[in-house]
């Protein structure tokens, strides 16, 4: 009987050691995941700040349009659109999780961030097109009938616009790629728990 008791005690001791090792392994895995996610999240935060910075630049630079002879309503519209971009971008970026959260909350925050990024284009493109049409109209009116000058201004604007759009698309793709990678890391870790 005493042999059975010793065997049971020995098995209990070994189970406790195994649990301690597994708990330690889980803590190490969580730390590794947290570090990897934090690095990816830092890159994502940096890329997500670009629209905020662009919106601030537009808002601050709006007064220069008025100084160049553009109409006051155009300058106000530009400033308001830039400020709206800053506010919307800040609201969207607030969904980025902190890695001190549990994985479910972090995953939900990232998914919400991604959806908000996708929806942002529904509003920003029409406003951008309206602003661009108004800018071209202002340029044509400002040229005072000098068609060659107006076309040169529009050509310069078109070049800047193409470069800006290409950089914006590149940044947007990077944001989606990083978000998808983070979501995949979180899902992989949740499966392993």
């Amino acid at each position: 009987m005493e042999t059975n008791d010793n065997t049971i005690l020995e098995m209990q001791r070994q189970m406790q050691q195994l649990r301690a090792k597994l708990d330690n392994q889980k803590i190490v895995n969580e730390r590794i995941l947290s570090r990897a996610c934090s690095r990816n999240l830092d890159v994502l935060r940096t890329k997500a700040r670009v629209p905020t910075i662009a919106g601030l630049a537009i808002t601050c630079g709006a007064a220069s349009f008025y100084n160049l002879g553009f109409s006051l309503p155009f300058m106000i519209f530009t400033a308001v659109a830039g400020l709206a971009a800053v506010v919307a971008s800040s609201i969207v970026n607030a969904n980025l999780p902190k890695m001190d959260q549990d994985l479910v909350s972090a995953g939900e925050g990232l998914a919400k961030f991604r959806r908000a990024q996708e929806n942002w284009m529904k509003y920003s493109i029409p406003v951008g097109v309206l602003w661009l049409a108004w800018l071209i109209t202002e340029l044509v009116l400002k040229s005072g009938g000098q068609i060659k000058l107006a076309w040169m201004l529009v050509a310069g604007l078109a070049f800047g616009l193409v470069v800006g759009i290409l950089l914006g698309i590149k940044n947007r793709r990077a944001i989606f790629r990083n978000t998808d990678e983070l979501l995949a890391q979180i899902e992989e870790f949740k499966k392993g728990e």
Side-chain angles (χ1 to χ4, degrees):
M1 187 73 151
E2 191 172 311
T3 310
N4 285 341
D5 289 338
N6 287 337
T7 305
I8 291 173
L9 289 174
E10 179 62 25
M11 287 175 63
Q12 286 177 341
R13 189 183 61 75
Q14 289 176 355
M15 287 296 289
Q16 287 175 343
Q17 287 176 344
L18 182 60
R19 279 191 197 120
K21 285 181 181 180
L22 287 174
D23 287 343
N24 190 29
Q25 184 66 32
K26 184 178 178 182
I27 291 170
V28 170
N29 283 342
E30 286 177 358
R31 285 184 190 150
I32 291 170
L33 175 73
S34 180
R35 282 189 204 125
C37 286
S38 290
R39 282 190 294 270
N40 284 345
L41 200 55
D42 288 343
V43 170
L44 184 58
R45 276 195 179 95
T46 301
K47 294 195 178 301
R49 285 185 189 118
V50 170
T52 305
I53 293 168
L56 284 172
I58 290 168
T59 302
C60 293
S64 64
F65 283 114
Y66 187 69
N67 293 338
L68 292 172
F70 287 78
S71 69
L72 183 61
F74 177 74
M75 189 263 319
I76 292 171
F77 179 79
T78 302
V80 169
L83 191 58
V86 169
V87 170
S89 182
S90 298
I91 290 169
V92 168
N93 292 348
N95 290 314
L96 285 172
K98 301 189 180 19
M99 286 319 295
D100 58 355
Q101 294 178 314
D102 63 294
L103 292 178
V104 173
S105 297
E108 288 172 355
L110 277 171
K112 199 172 178 183
F113 169 78
R114 192 178 198 301
R115 280 191 308 276
Q117 282 287 335
E118 290 169 353
N119 289 332
W120 170 243
M121 297 307 283
K122 293 176 186 174
Y123 305 105
S124 63
I125 289 176
V127 171
V129 168
L130 176 64
W131 180 85
L132 183 62
W134 196 349
L135 177 64
I136 291 172
T137 304
E138 291 275 340
L139 285 173
V140 169
L141 293 174
K142 186 171 171 20
S143 69
Q146 297 177 356
I147 300 299
K148 189 174 183 180
L149 175 63
W151 280 112
M152 287 174 39
L153 292 171
V154 170
L157 173 70
F159 176 75
L161 187 64
V162 167
V163 170
I165 288 172
L166 290 176
L167 291 174
I169 289 171
K170 181 180 177 186
N171 188 60
R172 182 176 162 82
R173 285 184 179 161
I175 286 172
F176 284 140
R177 184 179 60 248
N178 287 356
T179 304
D180 292 342
E181 286 174 9
L182 273 169
L183 284 169
Q185 285 176 340
I186 289 171
E187 283 302 316
E188 183 178 316
F189 188 73
K190 282 179 5 187
K191 287 179 187 174
E193 282 190 317

